[in-house]
Amino acid sequence: MLSTNEAEFVAEAIQSGLRTDGRGLDEIRGIKIMFGKRWGECEILWGSTRVFAVVTAEVTEPYPDRPTEGMLTFNVELSPMASPAFDPSKTSELTVELTRMLDRCFKESRAVDREALCIVAQEKVWSVRCDVHVLDHDGNLMDASSLGALIALLHFRRRDVSFTGNSTIIHTEAEREPVPLSIHYLPISITFAIFNEGDVLAIDPTELEEAVMKGRLTFTLNSHQDLCSMQKNGGMPIDPDIILQCVNRAIGKVEAITALIQRELERDAAQRLFGRGCISMPPKPAENQPARKKIALPELQSQSTTITVPVSSISAPVTQSIEEYSKFTLPEVTTPAVTTQIQSVKQKQSLPTEPTDENQALSSNNVREDTMVVDTPKQVVNTSTPAMFSGGSSAWDSQEQSDTAATPIDAMSDDVDLTKALKKGKKRKPKS
C-alpha cells in the first residue's frame, strides 16, 4: 500500500514525463536471459522482476473432439517470497489473469503447432506443460511471464519417436537427438500503464507505478508486426488513436526483444555443443610467454625432423637429424691442451714412419711414471697428463705403427673395452 503523498508524487512525475527509476515513458527495463542444465529451463530477469519457467512433456491420450492434436497447458504460481501480497493457499485473480493471457498468446493465436505433437491419432499424443514461477515481483508480470514461457518453449526438446510394426518406440537422449517444438512465430507481450484520464501511457510499469495507474493495456505482437492478442484491464475508456500509437511504439520493442532471444538461444546451443566436445574453442594465449618459431631442418641423408623451440633460446641454426638424435654420446672436451694433442696425433698419423731401434730407445727414456701403457693388440691407450706433450717428442713417437695405427681415447671404437684393458696394463719404469 502506498501513502497519499507517494501516490501523488508518482502521478505528478508521470504527468511531467518523469519516472522514479529515471527512465522515459517509452523505455523498458533491461532483460537478462539464463538457461538451466536441462532442456526447457530458463530464468528471466526483467528489471527486478524474476521469473522461472520450465517445460515438461509426457505421452497421453488426446481429447475425443481433437484426436490429432497434442495438449498444451500453462500454469502460473505466485510464490509468497516474491511479494507479501501473494497468498499460496488460494488462487488469486492475478494468477487467473496471467494464465488466460498465456493461453491467448500461444494456444488461441496458433503460435505452437499442436498437430505436430500427435504420435498416433486417437491413441497417443504429447502433452506439453509449461509452469511459470514468479520469484521476485517488481511490476509487469504480464510481459515477464509471457517472455519466460516463450523462451522455455523455444528451448525445450522432446524425445524422438520411431515406429516398428504396431509398436511405438520413444528414444532417450543418448539414443537419438531430441526434437524441438514446432513454433510458427514468436509472440511477445508489451504492456502500457494508463495514467491521468487515459492520455498518458507509460511502457513497462514498475510495482510502484502499477499501484497508481488507472488501467493496463497489453499487446502481443510478433516480428512480422502481426497483432496476436490484446488485453485491457480497467474501466477507463481509451481513444482508438492512442491505441494505434501504442501499437506502433510496441513494434520497435518487439523487434529488439526478438533479436535478443535468438542471440541467447544461439549462444546456449554453442555452449552445449562445446560441453559435449562437438566443437572446439581456440585456447587463449598465455600471458608473458615467449613467442615460438618453427624451424624446418634441411634434408640430410637420413630423414629430417622439425623442432619447435622458443625464439629466445635459438643461438645457432639447429641441424640435427633423427638418426643423430637416436645416439646418446657425451660431448667432447675441447680444452686447449687436449685440442693440441689431438691435432698433433692426427698429423703424425697422416705421415707414418718405419719404427727403428733408435727411436724406440729415445721414446722409452721420455716416458714418465704417470704414463700407463696397456698391452692391447696394436692399440695403445695413453692416460698421461697434457704436460707430457709440451716437448718436441712424446710417447706417441715410440710406439710401433702398423696397418692399424694407435687411436686416441676420444677416437677409439666402441668395440674396445677400456676397463678390461686398464686391468691388464702394466706400468713401465723409465730407463736410465
Side-chain angles (χ1 to χ4, degrees):
M1 297 296 295
L2 293 180
S3 63
T4 306
N5 294 335
E6 290 177 339
E8 292 178 356
F9 173 78
V10 173
E12 291 179 2
I14 294 293
Q15 187 69 24
S16 303
L18 303 175
R19 307 179 76 170
T20 55
D21 54 3
R23 292 182 293 146
L25 298 180
D26 292 339
E27 295 180 9
I28 63 174
R29 291 172 290 180
I31 301 174
K32 185 177 182 181
I33 303 173
M34 296 165 285
F35 298 96
K37 294 183 179 180
R38 297 187 301 177
W39 294 109
E41 292 182 354
C42 71
E43 184 176 348
I44 306 300
L45 190 62
W46 190 304
S48 298
T49 300
R50 188 184 300 270
V51 172
F52 177 76
V54 57
V55 177
T56 56
E58 61 180 0
V59 179
T60 184
E61 294 182 0
Y63 292 119
D65 57 340
R66 297 181 181 272
T68 59
E69 289 187 3
M71 301 180 183
L72 180 62
T73 57
F74 294 91
N75 179 44
V76 179
E77 179 183 351
L78 302 179
S79 175
M81 69 178 181
S83 175
F86 297 154
D87 187 3
S89 61
K90 60 181 180 180
T91 303
S92 62
E93 296 181 0
L94 181 59
T95 302
V96 176
E97 183 181 358
L98 292 173
T99 304
R100 290 179 178 176
M101 187 268 299
L102 294 177
D103 288 339
R104 284 193 294 269
C105 288
F106 299 98
K107 294 177 63 176
E108 296 180 7
S109 65
R110 302 270 181 186
V112 180
D113 187 3
R114 286 183 290 174
E115 292 184 356
L117 301 176
C118 179
I119 301 175
V120 179
Q122 299 180 354
E123 294 182 7
K124 296 179 182 180
V125 295
W126 285 104
S127 177
V128 179
R129 176 187 175 95
C130 180
D131 294 292
V132 179
H133 304 271
V134 179
L135 304 180
D136 289 325
H137 174 40
D138 190 25
N140 199 10
L141 288 179
M142 289 282 186
D143 297 351
S145 301
S146 175
L147 183 63
L150 173 61
I151 297 177
L153 291 172
L154 291 171
H155 188 258
F156 177 71
R157 301 289 187 274
R158 64 170 178 85
R159 295 183 178 182
D160 196 6
V161 180
S162 63
F163 302 93
T164 304
N166 296 328
S167 61
T168 304
I169 302 175
I170 300 177
H171 300 275
T172 61
E173 294 185 7
E175 296 175 349
R176 285 191 180 182
E177 190 72 17
V179 181
L181 299 179
S182 178
I183 300 178
H184 299 299
Y185 51 85
L186 308 184
I188 298 174
S189 299
I190 301 296
T191 299
F192 293 85
I194 305 172
F195 295 93
N196 203 6
E197 298 297 330
D199 55 349
V200 178
L201 290 91
I203 194 172
D204 185 19
T206 61
E207 184 182 11
L208 187 62
E209 294 171 348
E210 287 181 348
V212 183
M213 68 182 181
K214 300 297 182 63
R216 182 192 296 115
L217 188 61
T218 302
F219 301 94
T220 302
L221 304 167
N222 58 20
S223 59
H224 305 290
Q225 301 182 6
D226 297 330
L227 181 63
C228 303
S229 66
M230 185 180 67
Q231 180 175 343
K232 178 182 175 299
N233 301 92
M236 179 170 293
I238 302 177
D239 189 86
D241 295 336
I242 297 179
I243 295 178
L244 293 178
Q245 293 177 6
C246 293
V247 171
N248 295 329
R249 291 161 60 183
I251 289 175
K253 309 300 180 183
V254 169
E255 294 177 352
I257 295 175
T258 302
L260 174 64
I261 293 173
Q262 294 176 352
R263 183 170 63 251
E264 294 298 329
L265 288 173
E266 292 175 357
R267 181 180 303 176
D268 179 76
Q271 291 178 355
R272 290 178 182 273
L273 290 175
F274 175 68
R276 292 188 301 176
C278 298
I279 60 176
S280 59
M281 300 293 184
K284 296 182 179 180
E287 298 180 356
N288 301 328
Q289 210 177 39
R292 294 183 177 272
K293 181 180 180 181
K294 289 186 178 181
I295 301 178
L297 301 180
E299 295 184 358
L300 302 177
Q301 295 180 357
S302 59
Q303 186 179 0
S304 61
T305 184
T306 303
I307 306 173
T308 304
V309 295
V311 176
S312 58
S313 63
I314 298 177
S315 57
V318 181
T319 56
Q320 293 291 342
S321 62
I322 297 176
E323 182 179 358
E324 294 176 354
Y325 277 115
S326 62
K327 296 182 180 180
F328 297 92
T329 58
L330 296 175
E332 297 183 357
V333 181
T334 57
T335 58
V338 177
T339 305
T340 306
Q341 169 189 350
I342 295 174
Q343 292 178 356
S344 61
V345 170
K346 289 183 179 180
Q347 292 177 359
K348 293 177 181 180
Q349 287 181 357
S350 61
L351 299 175
T353 58
E354 297 182 359
T356 59
D357 297 337
E358 183 178 358
N359 293 336
Q360 293 178 359
L362 293 175
S363 59
S364 62
N365 294 334
N366 296 332
V367 177
R368 296 186 179 181
E369 293 183 359
D370 55 354
T371 302
M372 179 180 295
V373 180
V374 181
D375 295 336
T376 59
K378 297 183 181 181
Q379 289 185 352
V380 179
V381 178
N382 193 338
T383 61
S384 60
T385 58
M388 64 177 292
F389 298 98
S390 59
S393 62
S394 63
W396 298 94
D397 300 336
S398 62
Q399 304 303 322
E400 182 180 4
Q401 297 186 3
S402 60
D403 296 338
T404 305
T407 307
I409 295 177
D410 296 337
M412 287 178 62
S413 63
D414 297 338
D415 298 332
V416 179
D417 193 346
L418 182 59
T419 305
K420 294 182 181 180
L422 292 176
K423 290 182 179 180
K424 295 180 181 181
K426 297 180 181 180
K427 293 185 179 181
R428 294 184 179 181
K429 296 182 181 181
K431 295 181 181 182
S432 58

